[in-house]
């Protein structure tokens, strides 16, 4: 029971052109057959500066988000070594601008519904795992083309994610995750109802994990995103992403069925877009 870990999506909306499904250390561990888990997330994040083509263009670009998310998953074992975890994720909350970003206003409501069925395969007796998860973003979230900030994107999106987890000992592991992201078109973008297109984007994470006992896991990880240049009515925006971040994570089972996780992080380098100077993620999971 204590080996359970859960996905942690990146849910800061509107601060960057590349939004991958970010995971926490241990998220690709397998669950026992028939496991049902309900999860509640809260994220507070803020930015302090903005960058364009590698140059800082504002030192007072403040975007603040308070986002929650509901999630439900159920595990089905399909072979001796493989499981499927059909699930849905529904983010909701508020994001607002301040300082040089005050003109963006604010937005609240629900974000786009996310559907996925991760596949996890145990590779050997040491516990190494290969995982693959296709994420489908349904354009169901709150969206108004007249608003500068929206929690919904008004477009379909697919994130194909693959992971490899290597266990060196029972207490030490390394998680490596990669994403390829495809974007549909938004044909109702901005006050002029323009056509927004976006190139494919990519993301990668590497996370070290230390487990001093079966109920506790501590992790340190780094992430990188790149690509995803946008085009508006055929005009390229030259805003492809190249962002590096760091995350520190602690996960604890308080009881065999109740798990808590806290994560702190920030951006280390941003090529285009707002630079996140603080992030706090909190997650509660209940095993039924």
């Amino acid at each position: 029971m204590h080996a359970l870990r859960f996905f942690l999506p990146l849910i800061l909306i509107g601060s960057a052109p590349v939004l991958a499904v970010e995971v926490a250390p241990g998220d690709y561990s397998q669950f026992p057959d028939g496991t049902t888990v309900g999860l509640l997330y809260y994220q507070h994040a803020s930015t302090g500066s903005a960058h364009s083509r590698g140059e800082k263009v504002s030192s007072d670009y403040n975007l603040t988000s308070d986002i929650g998310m509901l999630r439900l998953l159920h595990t089905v074992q399909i072979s001796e070594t493989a499981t499927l975890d059909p699930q849905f994720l529904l983010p909701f909350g508020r994001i607002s601008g301040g300082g040089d970003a005050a003109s963006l206003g604010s937005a609240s409501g629900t974000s786009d519904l996310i559907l996925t069925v991760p596949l996890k395969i145990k590779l050997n007796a040491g516990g190494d795992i290969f995982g693959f998860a296709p994420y489908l973003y349904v354009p169901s979230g709150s969206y108004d083309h007249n608003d500068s900030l929206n929690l919904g994107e008004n477009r379909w999106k697919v994130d194909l994610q693959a992971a490899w987890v290597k266990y060196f000992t029972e207490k030490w592991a390394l998680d490596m995750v990669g994403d390829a992201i495809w974007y549909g078109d938004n044909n109702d973008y901005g006050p002029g109802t323009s056509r927004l297109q976006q190139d494919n984007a990519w993301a990668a994470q590497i996370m070290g994990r230390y487990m001093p006992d079966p109920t506790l896991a501590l992790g340190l990880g780094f992430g990188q995103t790149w690509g995803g240049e946008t085009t508006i009515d055929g005009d390229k925006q030259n805003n492809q992403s190249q962002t590096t971040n760091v995350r520190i994570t602690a996960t604890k089972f308080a009881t065999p069925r109740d798990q808590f996780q806290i994560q702190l992080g920030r951006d280390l380098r941003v090529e285009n877009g707002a630079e996140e100077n603080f992030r706090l993620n909190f997650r509660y999971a209940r095993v039924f």
Side-chain angles (χ1 to χ4, degrees):
M1 186 73 70
H2 295 308
L4 299 185
R5 300 292 185 267
F6 310 100
F7 288 86
L8 178 61
L10 173 69
I11 48 181
L12 175 61
I13 307 300
S15 64
V18 177
L19 293 174
V21 176
E22 190 176 312
V23 302
D27 280 358
Y28 268 96
S29 297
Q30 283 184 311
F31 308 159
D33 183 34
T35 300
T36 299
V37 186
L39 302 100
L40 179 64
Y41 297 80
Y42 168 72
Q43 178 191 92
H44 174 79
S46 62
T47 69
S49 61
H51 299 256
S52 177
R53 305 178 188 179
E55 300 293 329
K56 183 181 288 189
V57 294
S58 173
S59 298
D60 188 29
Y61 196 85
N62 303 320
L63 286 169
T64 302
S65 67
D66 290 283
I67 305 293
M69 188 173 69
L70 297 174
R71 179 179 175 203
L72 184 68
L73 67 86
H74 181 77
T75 297
V76 179
Q77 188 159 354
I78 58 175
S79 74
E80 290 185 358
T81 60
T83 57
L84 292 173
D85 296 341
Q87 57 193 274
F88 75 87
L89 307 91
L90 182 62
F92 57 91
R94 176 181 174 83
I95 182 170
S96 59
D100 291 339
S103 61
L104 298 178
S106 63
S108 61
T110 60
S111 188
D112 294 335
L113 176 68
I114 307 169
L115 305 174
T116 184
V117 185
L119 168 68
K120 302 174 185 177
I121 302 173
K122 185 177 180 180
L123 299 176
N124 50 46
D128 297 350
I129 291 174
F130 169 78
F132 176 76
Y135 288 86
L136 175 65
Y137 289 68
V138 181
S140 59
S142 305
Y143 181 81
D144 186 332
H145 70 91
N146 290 310
D147 294 338
S148 299
L149 293 177
N150 284 284
L151 273 78
E153 295 189 46
N154 194 44
R155 60 180 178 178
W156 296 88
K157 187 167 68 176
V158 174
D159 182 349
L160 301 180
Q161 184 176 86
W164 180 49
V165 182
K166 173 63 179 178
Y167 284 87
F168 300 100
T169 69
E170 291 184 354
K171 293 188 176 182
W172 292 96
L174 184 69
D175 303 62
M176 290 166 282
V177 182
D179 296 75
I181 309 157
W182 171 87
Y183 301 88
D185 295 347
N186 178 357
N187 294 310
D188 189 22
Y189 177 77
T193 61
S194 301
R195 183 184 186 188
L196 172 70
Q197 298 173 290
Q198 189 163 0
D199 292 344
N200 292 348
W202 315 90
Q205 293 177 257
I206 184 167
M207 299 162 283
R209 184 166 26 122
Y210 173 59
M211 298 155 283
D213 65 60
T215 70
L216 178 63
L218 305 173
L220 172 65
F222 296 90
Q224 178 77 29
T225 64
W226 62 94
E229 181 181 9
T230 59
T231 301
I232 300 175
D233 287 340
D235 183 15
K236 290 184 175 295
Q237 301 299 297
N238 196 21
N239 61 346
Q240 56 269 26
S241 171
Q242 189 173 336
T243 300
T244 306
N245 63 57
V246 62
R247 304 283 185 258
I248 301 172
T249 309
T251 306
K252 173 69 176 179
F253 270 97
T255 75
R257 294 187 177 275
D258 297 285
Q259 185 201 65
F260 295 88
Q261 182 181 92
I262 187 168
Q263 184 180 76
L264 296 174
R266 62 163 299 150
D267 289 337
L268 299 176
R269 180 180 181 276
V270 174
E271 183 75 14
N272 286 298
E275 180 177 334
E276 191 174 276
N277 59 13
F278 178 76
R279 169 185 291 224
L280 167 66
N281 294 321
F282 179 78
R283 184 188 72 195
Y284 167 68
R286 174 70 176 177
V287 182
F288 296 99

